[in-house]
């Protein structure tokens, strides 16, 4: 390409660059963000509700973690596909996510995300302890809907 030397050439180049920039900007603005699915919203609402409870009990807010989120997604899907509630292998999650501590809450039923967390808080099986354990700092939560039933997993951890 030859150097731009005349003012007319520079103006023409500037106009071309400006028009390309406007086309790129319009394409970026016109591209809608992917809509959150009901299952994604359900998982997010679990984390929001759990963090409200933790803050009310003077515990640190849990941050979403990609690795834990991946395991929560896979596990909620596995339970929904099997139509059976079960826990995943904690050692696998701890090793793959580099955790020093780990906990997991699972549940299923025809409940809202708020009701699901409320059930965990009244459970006698350690769910409340997972939610309130001060050592946890990160989380992932997911849900899947199958045959009118929600299958939910929340994974807790600390590195």
């Amino acid at each position: 390409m030859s150097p731009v030397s005349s003012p007319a050439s520079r103006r023409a180049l500037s106009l071309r660059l400006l028009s390309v920039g406007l086309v790129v900007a319009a394409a970026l603005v016109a591209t809608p963000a992917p809509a959150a699915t009901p299952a994604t919203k359900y998982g997010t609402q679990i984390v929001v509700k759990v963090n409200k409870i933790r803050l009310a009990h003077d515990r640190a807010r849990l941050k979403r973690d990609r690795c834990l989120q991946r395991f929560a997604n896979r596990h909620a899907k596995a339970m929904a596909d099997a139509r059976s509630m079960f826990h995943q292998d904690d050692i696998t999650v701890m090793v793959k996510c580099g955790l020093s501590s780990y906990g997991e809450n699972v549940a299923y039923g025809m409940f809202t995300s708020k009701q699901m967390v409320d059930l965990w808080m009244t459970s006698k099986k350690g769910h409340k302890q997972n939610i309130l354990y001060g050592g946890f700092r990160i989380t992932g939560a997911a849900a899947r809907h199958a045959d009118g039933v929600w299958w939910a997993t929340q994974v807790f951890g600390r590195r």
Side-chain angles (χ1 to χ4, degrees), residues 48-62 117-118 120-122 127-137:
V48 168
K49 173 75 172 167
V50 164
N51 275 331
K52 284 181 182 178
I53 292 168
R54 286 178 62 87
L55 290 173
H57 288 87
D58 297 320
R59 303 299 192 284
R61 185 182 154 278
L62 298 171
V117 174
D118 289 342
W120 284 335
M121 287 299 291
T122 58
H127 300 104
K128 181 177 180 177
Q129 289 80 0
N130 282 340
I131 290 169
L132 295 178
Y133 178 58
F136 292 141
R137 294 289 183 265

Side-chain angles (χ1 to χ4, degrees), residues 71-85:
F71 276 98
N73 286 336
R74 287 180 195 160
H75 192 64
K77 182 182 182 319
M79 290 192 307
D81 289 349
R83 305 301 192 271
S84 177
M85 187 177 72

Side-chain angles (χ1 to χ4, degrees), residues 2 6 8 18 23 32 57 64-65 75 77 82 99 105 145 152 154:
S2 63
S6 73
L18 178 62
V23 168
H57 288 87
R64 300 287 292 258
D65 178 81
H75 192 64
K77 182 182 182 319
L99 302 177
N105 288 352
H145 198 253
Q154 184 171 21

Side-chain angles (χ1 to χ4, degrees), residues 2-28:
S2 63
V4 179
S5 56
S6 73
S9 299
R10 284 192 293 261
R11 270 194 302 275
L13 179 62
S14 294
L15 285 173
R16 275 188 245 136
L17 290 174
L18 178 62
S19 66
V20 168
L22 290 173
V23 168
V24 169
L28 291 174

